[in-house]
Amino acid sequence: MLIGHYGPAFIIKAIDKKVPLWALFIAVQVPDIIWGTLILGGVERANINNDLTSNPLDLSYMPYSHGMVSTLLYSLVIVGILLLFPYFRRHRDVAWWLGAAIFSHWILDFLSHRPDLPIWGDSMKIGLGLWNYPVWAVAVEVAIYLIGAICYSIAVGGFKRWAAWLFWCFIVVSTIGSSFRGDGMTPAGVESIAISALVFYIFATVVIYIVEKNERKP
Ligand SMILES: [Zn+2]
């Protein structure tokens, strides 16, 4: 799952407008940011298998980035670090929302991944396998993303004119781009997938930062 992870980010922002959306955009992708970095560093491993539906990645070894316990630990450690700062001690809910956003990544991956998510270390791998049903996988991911984007847009009362264009163009282009991943695609390699994912996360965060600065109700 790629854009679907942004659904919870939008929903959290719609519920509590104190939480910066750009920070939520980073938080919901923390496990994948760690995954991309560890793949490039040769610590975690994956292979391309074009027989797999929805996502050609055979995620054979990712105990650090996508373990259930390790993801929970990232959430709690980051909440703990944030609570060292006076701002977050005054607004503890903002720190906890960011922690929840990090763990939401694992929950949505649990829904979509084949059983490749270890609970602890490299063992007890689970995953409900929505990816085995390519049409449903795209439909569910796009629905989570679009429902989130619409809730966010309503909650902040829309955007100043050009920012509305930027926001909805980004939503439409990322939805189309994401829906055509997977089947029929022959990726150059695991490293290039990791690099393009990391570049996309940076790009999405920059776009959302600009959009957020131009909400009608700041
Ligand atoms: Zn992931």
Side-chain angles (χ1 to χ4, degrees):
M1 193 171 274
L2 180 77
I3 56 168
H5 290 297
Y6 294 129
F10 285 131
I11 297 287
I12 291 171
K13 171 74 182 187
I15 295 171
D16 185 346
K17 289 191 271 305
K18 285 197 305 299
V19 193
L21 185 58
W22 66 266
L24 287 166
F25 257 52
I26 297 172
V28 295
Q29 300 291 11
V30 160
D32 277 8
I33 293 168
I34 295 173
W35 178 82
T37 311
L38 293 183
I39 284 288
L40 295 176
V43 178
E44 293 198 341
R45 289 190 298 275
N47 306 295
I48 305 284
N49 178 351
N50 281 313
D51 293 334
L52 295 174
T53 50
S54 296
N55 184 335
L57 281 172
D58 173 13
L59 298 156
S60 51
Y61 184 71
M62 46 177 194
Y64 308 108
S65 64
H66 280 74
M68 187 183 80
V69 175
S70 46
T71 307
L72 201 54
L73 283 177
Y74 299 138
S75 296
L76 295 175
V77 166
I78 288 179
V79 171
I81 292 171
L82 292 176
L83 289 177
L84 296 175
F85 294 90
Y87 171 83
F88 288 102
R89 279 213 290 278
R90 284 196 306 278
H91 303 287
R92 285 169 184 271
D93 45 349
V94 175
W96 284 106
W97 277 126
L98 289 167
I102 295 174
F103 196 70
S104 75
H105 183 103
W106 196 88
I107 295 171
L108 288 181
D109 272 4
F110 172 61
L111 174 72
S112 50
H113 280 227
R114 292 169 274 266
D116 53 24
L117 299 164
I119 291 182
W120 171 251
D122 193 36
S123 62
M124 293 175 281
K125 294 187 183 182
I126 53 176
L128 295 178
L130 187 60
W131 278 346
N132 292 329
Y133 309 92
V135 175
W136 282 106
V138 170
V140 169
E141 178 165 16
V142 167
I144 294 171
Y145 184 55
L146 293 184
I147 289 169
I150 291 166
C151 289
Y152 161 63
S153 161
I154 293 172
V156 297
F159 313 96
K160 290 167 197 161
R161 194 179 163 76
W162 62 268
W165 277 100
L166 176 63
F167 180 65
W168 291 111
C169 281
F170 171 74
I171 295 292
V172 169
V173 171
S174 55
T175 300
I176 294 169
S178 164
S179 304
F180 283 100
R181 280 176 308 148
D183 294 351
M185 189 178 76
T186 345
V190 177
E191 280 82 8
S192 60
I193 293 181
I195 292 169
S196 40
L198 291 171
V199 169
F200 175 73
Y201 300 147
I202 295 168
F203 173 72
T205 305
V206 170
V207 169
I208 257 359
Y209 178 83
I210 297 168
V211 167
E212 195 175 18
K213 292 288 160 235
N214 289 285
E215 290 166 357
R216 217 171 273 282
K217 272 189 242 154

